[in-house]
Amino acid sequence: MLTEMKDISIEFPGVKALDHVSFSAATGSVHALIGANGAGKSTLMKVLSGAYGHYTGEIIMDERKVSIRSPKDANELGIQIVYQEVDTALIPYLTVGENILLKHDRTFINWKELHRASDQILKRMNMRISSKKLVKDLSLAEKQMVLIARAVSTECRFLILDEPTAPLSHTETQELFRIVNDLKAQDVGVIFISHRLPEIFELCDEITIMRNGRLVSRDSLSKISQNEVIERMLGEKLEEQFPKLNLVIGDTLLEVKGLTDSEKIHDINLTAKAGEIIGIAGLVGAGKTELCKTLFSSGKIKNGEVLLHGKKLRLRTPHEAVKQGIALVPEERRREGILVEESVSVNLSAASLGQFTKALGFLNGKAEKEKAWKIVQSLGIKTPALETKTKHLSGGNQQKIAIGKWLLTDAEVYIFDEPTKGVDVGAKKDIYELISELAKRGKAVIYASSELSEIIGITNRLYVLYDGQVVKELQTSQTTEEDILFYSTGGK
């Protein structure tokens, strides 16, 4: 069965997101859809899944023109989508089982049967998790797998996966690939959106490349190389990805002694010097995010202390952390890093409103917009206007905003938690350059990532986490990805 999208165009205020795009995918095949942030790939799939109904063009399934103007229309045609931002698609105070079977029409609910059916789906996916557990208590990776379980619980003919491996460990990613291949064997068509090219070449049969809201090319993956894909995505040859770190390392700025939180991390000791980029490496679930949040006061400190310039900090709230010179760019940018319903201008000034407040608490809108525009220009944020709602921008531009808002605060310690998750190779390069510039200005940078190539490429020194503890400190120039992986998996 073939699904065809012909001449699809769609506009938002000030933005033409899709410009006469044609795309097709077949059942029994895995089709990669790729492009730089803002290329329009997620928007195209939101059209196919019924999230955006104000498009022009036509959709044909099984040689029959169909109308998809709502998610209900898409569901009835067997089209399911698993979004990148999992928290917007799940109901946190319902159980796993209730979330999985949410799309099944039921007048009366047999709770025993609901959980039995959910457990069967979870077992088929090799997920060791109770269907009675509340979604709010799950990890990000577990939430992603629950969304996939929901999709495959229906009569699914086409499954759209938008950056599905971003929160997953290597083992979980391989399990996802097994599920995808099983669906392919059952004649389900899978559309796979990802910025991770090795995964695409391992899993997919065909690839469609987009740029600036238009179709660039469609090929069999056996006939195209990774370098060709990157060049078509960006419209230019990719230069060296990581900046050269000719940094001047100063005195110790941040010192962490015996830090333990109430849940995950235990007895963490580390230092970060002025002008230094230190890495926090580890697999998904190692405690990287918990450490970052605890340093920013959004995790409860049980024992230990944090010192800045040798002075012990009282870290009780994120507000206090900001006042004392600590900034955090969190992993889940849409839920914790930006205000999606607010404008670009409001987001960029959110962490430093004191700079723009006049007497009696009135906001100096002119000064706010002038500063915001400077950040937009310096970071290369692609937005039609400062008034554009942040939710209408691509993931890469949202991430730049999540980082840019801290530049106005002039913090001393910058903490980045998976800063390039869901970001294309071009935007990644911009983020690496920005982080390098912060270090050159004498800031201490903490860079947490499960992407080992990034840890090797951007840091001076690194700490490896395993099961909530630092198991090894390494000089980046004297180590390899294999060494980091060895310690990340508990090797001694």
Side-chain angles (χ1 to χ4, degrees):
M1 177 183 171
L2 188 68
T3 290
E4 299 175 272
M5 304 177 77
K6 294 185 176 180
D7 267 344
I8 303 294
S9 296
I10 192 168
E11 294 187 20
F12 300 99
V15 181
K16 184 153 190 174
L18 296 174
D19 188 4
H20 298 284
V21 177
S22 293
F23 171 82
S24 64
T27 52
S29 174
V30 184
H31 195 118
L33 181 59
I34 193 168
N37 289 110
K41 54 194 183 298
S42 292
T43 303
L44 184 67
M45 290 301 100
K46 285 181 179 179
V47 168
L48 184 59
S49 61
Y52 295 147
H54 62 288
Y55 63 91
T56 60
E58 60 183 23
I59 301 174
I60 298 169
M61 291 186 71
D62 219 6
E63 299 183 348
R64 178 174 62 91
K65 186 176 178 180
V66 296
S67 177
I68 302 179
R69 301 291 173 177
S70 70
K72 184 174 182 292
D73 293 336
N75 289 341
E76 289 174 351
L77 291 165
I79 299 169
Q80 300 290 334
I81 185 167
V82 176
Y83 290 112
Q84 179 182 354
E85 309 297 345
V86 296
D87 285 298
T88 62
L90 293 170
I91 302 174
Y93 292 99
L94 292 183
T95 64
V96 168
E98 289 169 307
N99 270 278
I100 288 174
L101 299 179
L102 198 63
K103 293 184 178 181
H104 295 248
D105 293 329
R106 294 167 187 264
T107 305
F108 299 102
I109 299 175
N110 181 329
W111 294 105
K112 185 176 180 181
E113 173 60 24
L114 180 145
H115 289 296
R116 187 197 65 77
S118 299
D119 281 329
Q120 278 191 338
I121 295 167
L122 293 168
K123 186 177 180 181
R124 198 164 71 236
M125 294 176 63
N126 284 346
M127 277 191 70
R128 295 180 180 87
I129 179 173
S130 170
S131 68
K132 296 179 180 179
K133 191 171 184 179
L134 291 178
V135 161
K136 71 180 181 68
D137 296 326
L138 301 181
S139 69
L140 190 59
E142 288 172 332
K143 290 175 185 177
Q144 180 74 279
M145 298 303 275
V146 168
L147 275 179
I148 295 169
R150 178 199 289 175
V152 301
S153 73
T154 64
E155 291 293 325
C156 181
R157 292 200 284 178
F158 285 93
L159 175 63
I160 305 162
L161 300 175
D162 190 357
E163 292 288 347
T165 62
L168 304 183
S169 68
H170 176 74
T171 301
E172 290 163 334
T173 296
Q174 292 304 309
E175 187 58 34
L176 172 65
F177 286 6
R178 183 191 66 78
I179 293 166
V180 168
N181 283 319
D182 283 351
L183 291 170
K184 176 182 170 182
Q186 296 166 29
D187 203 36
V188 173
V190 179
I191 302 170
F192 191 82
I193 302 175
S194 177
H195 292 302
R196 297 178 172 180
L197 294 184
E199 293 180 355
I200 285 174
F201 277 80
E202 177 183 346
L203 183 67
C204 301
D205 303 300
E206 294 184 286
I207 184 168
T208 292
I209 302 171
M210 295 180 66
R211 186 171 67 245
N212 297 330
R214 295 185 177 93
L215 175 71
V216 174
S217 66
R218 173 186 172 134
D219 286 281
S220 166
L221 274 162
S222 62
K223 297 178 180 177
I224 192 170
S225 69
Q226 289 193 26
N227 284 343
E228 286 175 311
V229 170
I230 293 172
E231 289 170 12
R232 291 183 191 181
M233 278 174 58
L234 302 179
E236 60 187 21
K237 289 188 179 296
L238 182 67
E239 299 172 3
E240 184 65 35
Q241 197 169 16
F242 296 105
K244 293 181 179 177
L245 297 178
N246 298 318
L247 302 177
V248 178
I249 310 298
D251 297 329
T252 298
L253 272 185
L254 185 77
E255 192 171 2
V256 178
K257 295 181 178 180
L259 190 66
T260 301
D261 73 354
S262 56
E263 294 180 2
K264 184 72 178 179
I265 61 172
H266 311 284
D267 196 28
I268 299 287
N269 295 283
L270 62 82
T271 60
K273 298 178 180 179
E276 184 179 35
I277 304 172
I278 69 163
I280 305 296
L283 304 179
V284 173
K288 302 185 302 300
T289 293
E290 290 81 0
L291 173 58
C292 292
K293 287 185 174 181
T294 302
L295 291 174
F296 191 62
S297 310
S298 52
K300 292 183 179 178
I301 296 177
K302 190 174 179 181
N303 289 307
E305 56 186 19
V306 180
L307 299 92
L308 188 65
H309 292 296
K311 179 183 175 183
K312 184 177 178 180
L313 301 181
R314 296 183 65 190
L315 296 174
R316 293 176 298 187
T317 67
H319 177 68
E320 289 179 343
V322 173
K323 284 177 66 177
Q324 294 175 100
I326 299 176
L328 169 67
V329 178
E331 178 181 14
E332 298 184 62
R333 59 173 172 262
R334 286 180 66 91
R335 190 160 68 95
E336 300 174 339
I338 56 174
L339 304 166
V340 292
E341 294 294 337
E342 298 293 343
S343 68
V344 172
S345 179
V346 165
N347 271 279
L348 288 172
S349 62
S352 53
L353 282 176
Q355 295 183 32
F356 312 110
T357 306
K358 300 190 221 180
L360 303 178
F362 290 104
L363 191 67
N364 185 338
K366 183 180 178 183
E368 177 194 32
K369 288 182 178 178
E370 285 177 356
K371 288 279 190 178
W373 187 244
K374 285 183 180 178
I375 296 294
V376 166
Q377 290 181 309
S378 65
L379 298 188
I381 297 170
K382 294 180 181 177
T383 177
L386 290 175
E387 294 75 25
T388 301
K389 283 192 175 183
T390 307
K391 69 178 182 180
H392 293 316
L393 302 186
S394 69
N397 286 305
Q398 289 178 1
Q399 186 69 316
K400 288 181 182 180
I401 289 171
I403 296 170
K405 73 179 183 184
W406 292 115
L407 301 185
L408 295 177
T409 68
D410 197 34
E412 293 195 72
V413 178
Y414 287 83
I415 305 169
F416 294 88
D417 186 9
E418 301 284 358
T420 64
K421 188 177 86 172
V423 172
D424 71 77
V425 288
K428 281 182 181 181
K429 189 172 186 293
D430 293 340
I431 291 170
Y432 300 147
E433 292 285 357
L434 171 61
I435 290 170
S436 174
E437 285 302 315
L438 288 172
K440 287 176 183 175
R441 284 164 46 190
K443 311 299 182 182
V445 178
I446 297 174
Y447 191 99
S449 179
S450 54
E451 297 285 343
L452 302 186
S453 61
E454 292 187 3
I455 293 287
I456 291 288
I458 195 67
T459 69
N460 307 101
R461 186 164 54 88
L462 68 112
Y463 296 89
V464 183
L465 261 60
Y466 175 76
D467 198 22
Q469 293 181 295
V470 172
V471 292
K472 194 70 175 179
E473 179 183 351
L474 298 164
Q475 290 293 327
T476 307
S477 61
Q478 298 171 18
T479 193
T480 64
E481 289 185 37
E482 288 75 17
D483 292 337
I484 300 172
L485 187 59
F486 174 75
Y487 294 113
S488 296
T489 52
K492 295 181 181 179

